[in-house]
Amino acid sequence: SLEQLARARGIQLTRRGKDLFGLCPWHPDKNPSLSIDPSGNRFHCFGCGVKGSVIDWVMKTFGVGVGKAIELLRAEVPLISAGGPTRIVKRASVPLLPCPLDFHADDQTLVSQSALYYHGRLRLNSNALAYLAKRGLTSDEAIDHFKIGYVDRSLGWTIPEKNRKDGAAIRERLEKLGILRKKTGHECYRGMLTIPTFDEDGKIVGLYGRRATDALGKGELKHLNLPGHLLGLINRAAFASTDEIILCEAPLDALTFWVAGYRNVTCSFGTNGFTDTHREAFERHGIRRVLIAYDRDEAGEAAAAALAAELLARGIECYRILFPKGMDANDYARKVTPTAKSLGIAIRRAEWLGGGAAPQRGPGAVSAPVPGLLVAMSSSEAMATSPAIGGDGTAESPSLAAGAPAASDLESTSSDAAESGTPDNAVSKEPITPSALPTPEPPAASPVPAAPKPALACRAANGQVTLARGGRTYTVRGLEKNMSFDLLRVNVTVRSAVGLHVDTLDMLSARQRVAFEKAASAELACGEAVVHDDLGALLMALQDLQDDAIKKALAPAPTTPEMTAEARADALELLHDPRLVERIVSDFAAYGIIGEGLNTLTGLLASLSRKLEHPLAV
């Protein structure tokens, strides 16, 4: 309230009628001319004429703009910083908001802290959330998993100005990193969604920005990356869980696949953004097959062909996911519904890019994990353990090729449109329904799924989880401490007839799992691949248990009171009494409400109507 803010600034207020009066801080005032209306939360000085709302008060008091004034109010800074005589400033140069950056940290930490601050701002901005909804990406899981953020300019408000020694030093570093602009000091990613990239250790090393609007102003960029070398990967976790990767052109396209349930996806940074980091990750994790899902435009086609030639030369199979001409993955997913099924169709109709016939694939291989499965599941395990999920949430045949349009079938729609005078990249306003399109023969890229694997011999009891596989028994402790989806740090003991190994590790860290595999395989005298498969199964089981625990912790506690048998009998006796109305009026009278029988019954009926779809009001 303005009354609170005025008193906090040392202004003595006296009441005159419904308003409060005090000395105005914005001009020499000897007789109280500042009026505050507590009910409307407005102020007006009859001496100098200043007036406005609580936001205007903070703007004039601290010398800040409207956005920063709102942030100060949200943080209750006008009250926290109160005390002493009133002091008004024309323009604030000392930050009043707490800064999320460690001025003494290294560059990587500064980038990470900036990205995490932006992540915390996303849900406070309705425009950013509306843009994500427009793109079909309203997934809390995706927002938290990828640390998606939004730049609303507020980070700059927390950093000292350049006229301060520490402000000049930190701003110079942030300018070199590409967080702040050199000339204006404004944030480079202002008005953009941000998606961090991660290194092998799970640390943030890069930052991608995408303008949260399709209408660009003069000089505005649609995409932005930190200057210098493009570092890190989007969705690095995918590489450790499968030998097949869906490669998109941009992060929002990759998110489209991920949100639809296809978790083995990553992206380059534009058509020319396939970096050495991608090449190193492909080689390190033994990626055998890449499905290129670049935009279906001239630049996307040329880049896909060039990349396929490079990857094929490295012995990696390449397929091209073909969207209708002029479309990217996100356009297609929003237009061809249901999204999960339509993307599955596009994946399984991918076109072989190598010479000659497509390589024959074993019966256990699939083109991508089906929706709803955990990241840790390999592509073959995914299809083997669960049927595909249709758009209506019902299980269907594991192969999405049935009833699916081939890429050529989707192209024919565009060709027909061209003959009728419609541009190739024109998009119909009516959604395309996959089941309404012709059914082709399954291509070579659509294998027959393997038989389901037996259920895991896993059990949880007495604060520990036990998994038995092939004479090896894994015991996990400390799972109950992991109440965040970003962490799965546990103590793991594995024993067999040969030996025993114990370690504490974060199961979500690929590097820590690799270290465990090497040490455990040496202790148990078995291959690293054996322990690798065990850890994959264990990770799936632990994530299921963790999900259940978090959901249970977040679920509201039941509030329905239990009725005793005696109370129920008394209630039914009253309900069936022919003198029910008389007894109700008599009970009210016993509590002092006398002569108001009609009103008490009316109030009672209204309160009971809460059980109805349209309750009564009094």
Side-chain angles (χ1 to χ4, degrees), residues 30-42:
K30 295 182 179 180
N31 296 313
S33 56
L34 174 68
S35 170
I36 292 178
D37 174 13
S39 60
N41 215 31
R42 308 280 298 182

Side-chain angles (χ1 to χ4, degrees), residues 480-560:
E480 70 282 355
K481 298 178 181 178
N482 293 267
M483 297 304 287
S484 166
F485 293 112
D486 298 330
L487 186 69
L488 194 51
R489 187 171 180 80
V490 291
N491 176 270
V492 181
T493 302
V494 55
R495 51 170 60 86
S496 69
V498 178
L500 174 145
H501 179 68
V502 183
D503 199 356
T504 298
L505 71 157
D506 183 356
M507 292 290 289
L508 299 182
S509 169
R511 174 167 292 187
Q512 293 184 31
R513 291 200 307 272
V514 168
F516 184 94
E517 291 164 9
K518 290 181 178 179
S521 61
E523 294 283 358
L524 304 181
C526 63
E528 290 183 23
V530 173
V531 182
H532 175 81
D533 289 343
D534 290 350
L535 284 187
L538 183 62
L539 176 57
M540 285 188 292
L542 293 179
Q543 285 188 310
D544 283 340
L545 293 170
Q546 183 187 41
D547 288 348
D548 291 342
I550 293 176
K551 289 176 182 177
K552 184 177 180 180
L554 295 177
T559 58
T560 305

Side-chain angles (χ1 to χ4, degrees), residues 21-35:
F21 282 81
L23 296 176
C24 176
W26 291 289
H27 79 281
D29 192 11
K30 295 182 179 180
N31 296 313
S33 56
L34 174 68
S35 170

Side-chain angles (χ1 to χ4, degrees), residues 349-434:
R349 306 304 300 182
E351 182 181 84
W352 165 244
L353 296 180
Q360 295 296 315
R361 298 164 63 186
V366 295
S367 54
V370 295
L373 297 179
L374 297 173
V375 176
M377 192 176 288
S378 69
S379 57
S380 58
E381 291 171 332
M383 186 60 81
T385 55
S386 174
I389 305 299
D392 57 358
T394 57
E396 59 185 16
S397 169
S399 174
L400 291 181
S408 57
D409 296 316
L410 292 175
E411 287 181 55
S412 66
T413 304
S414 181
S415 300
D416 295 341
E419 293 176 4
S420 64
T422 305
D424 279 348
N425 61 357
V427 179
S428 168
K429 292 184 178 179
E430 296 299 323
I432 305 169
T433 305

Side-chain angles (χ1 to χ4, degrees), residues 211-235:
R211 186 75 55 190
T213 177
D214 293 323
L216 300 179
K218 184 178 179 180
E220 288 186 337
L221 299 174
K222 181 184 289 186
H223 308 277
L224 183 65
N225 288 287
L226 293 179
H229 298 293
L230 294 172
L231 302 175
L233 294 174
I234 299 290
N235 195 27

Side-chain angles (χ1 to χ4, degrees), residues 184-240:
T184 63
H186 294 164
E187 290 167 71
C188 296
Y189 289 85
R190 181 179 178 183
M192 287 185 164
L193 294 169
T194 57
I195 304 175
T197 57
F198 295 83
D199 66 7
E200 191 72 26
D201 295 325
K203 296 178 180 177
I204 295 176
V205 292
L207 193 63
Y208 163 82
R210 205 286 181 194
R211 186 75 55 190
T213 177
D214 293 323
L216 300 179
K218 184 178 179 180
E220 288 186 337
L221 299 174
K222 181 184 289 186
H223 308 277
L224 183 65
N225 288 287
L226 293 179
H229 298 293
L230 294 172
L231 302 175
L233 294 174
I234 299 290
N235 195 27
R236 185 180 279 275
F239 290 84

